[in-house]
Each structure stands twice: as structure tokens, then as C-alpha cells.
Amino acid sequence: MRLGLLLFIAIPILEMIILIEVGGIIGALPTVGLVVLTATIGIWLLRLEGLATLARVQAKLNRGEIPETELLEGIMLLVGGALLLTPGFVTDAIGLACILPGLRRPIARWIINRGLLTAVNVMHRKSGFENRREDSPTIIEGEYKDDDDRLR
């Protein structure tokens, strides 16, 4: 919680300092132009990579596989797109790392291999689905009364 608050305060301050410095070197209008250009390129890349990731998710689901890496990449694409729309060069760099496939896929695999997503597995285990077999029918024991017998 404290780290989030610290980042929430520190990142905008860092962005302002960098934007002021870059604006002092190349001018205000070129700096604004760069920020708009990175947002435009980011939206274009987000669209391309989002569609490609969605196609990989569908292909894995059709093969009966769990698309864990692709789903994490989808989350990273959302975060990267939001960061690219945020004015600033630091957020643009982090956003590009989340969107470019050469960086996004290794980061997603690293997150999965480090076990940082174990909460999903713990919730799955607690639900009881791991003990249920696909080929076993669901049997519910009980008694019933046929109402049609009374009408005859």
C-alpha cells in the first residue's frame, strides 16, 4: 500500500521534471509532439498486439490448453496501453515494455515461472475442481414425487 502511494506521488513528479528538461532542450511544441506521437504509436501497437494475443488465446483454448501466458500478456497490454496514454517519457518506456512482444513475453513467462500468480491456483484448488474427473457424471441423491400420477 505504501509502495503504491509512493509510486503515485513519485512518478508524476519524475515525469514533470523530465518533460521540463526535454522541453528546455528541444522546445515545448516538439516535446508535446513527442508525447502525442508516442500515444498514437502506442494505440496502434496495442491494437495489433491485442488482436494477435486474442488469436493465440483462442488457438490454445481450441487445443484444450490453458492460455496462462497469453492471459497475463492481455493484462500487460491493458496496463501498457494506459501507460502510453499517460503523458510522459517514463510511463511511455514502461508502456512500451508491456506492449512490445519481444519484451512482454519474457516478462510474462518470468512472472509465471516465479510463481507470482499462485493466488489463482490456490482459489482453483479450494473450489474442489481438481478432484473432479471430466468423465465422471455428477450424481445427486434424493427422492422425488411424480405429480402426473395424481392427475390420472
Side-chain angles (χ1 to χ4, degrees):
M1 180 72 174
R2 290 182 180 158
L3 178 66
L5 180 62
L6 180 66
L7 289 175
F8 188 73
I9 294 170
I11 289 177
I13 292 172
L14 180 65
E15 290 288 10
M16 284 188 283
I17 292 169
I18 293 173
L19 285 171
I20 290 169
E21 289 295 320
V22 170
I25 295 170
I26 65 173
L29 287 178
T31 303
V32 171
L34 277 174
V35 170
V36 171
L37 180 67
T38 57
T40 305
I41 292 172
I43 292 171
W44 177 72
L45 277 172
L46 179 63
R47 182 173 181 264
L48 288 177
E49 291 301 318
L51 291 173
T53 302
L54 181 61
R56 286 195 312 276
V57 166
Q58 289 175 341
K60 276 197 168 183
L61 287 174
N62 288 337
R63 291 190 306 260
E65 299 174 9
I66 298 174
E68 58 187 6
T69 305
E70 288 77 12
L71 291 175
L72 181 57
E73 285 182 33
I75 294 169
M76 291 176 70
L77 285 170
L78 288 172
V79 170
L83 289 173
L84 281 168
L85 290 175
T86 304
F89 296 116
V90 174
T91 53
D92 287 347
I94 298 169
L96 279 174
C98 290
I99 288 185
L100 294 175
L103 296 172
R104 183 183 70 242
R105 288 182 190 141
I107 293 170
R109 285 189 201 112
W110 179 81
I111 290 172
I112 290 170
N113 291 337
R114 295 281 295 188
L116 299 176
L117 296 178
T118 56
V120 174
N121 293 333
V122 169
M123 288 173 49
H124 179 71
R125 285 189 201 115
K126 284 184 180 179
S127 67
F129 286 118
E130 77 284 351
N131 294 331
R132 187 173 167 200
R133 293 183 6 199
E134 293 293 325
D135 57 343
S136 65
T138 302
I139 299 173
I140 301 174
E141 294 186 32
E143 297 179 15
Y144 73 96
K145 179 179 171 185
D146 192 1
D147 289 339
D148 291 337
D149 290 339
R150 289 188 301 158
L151 299 174
R152 293 183 193 167

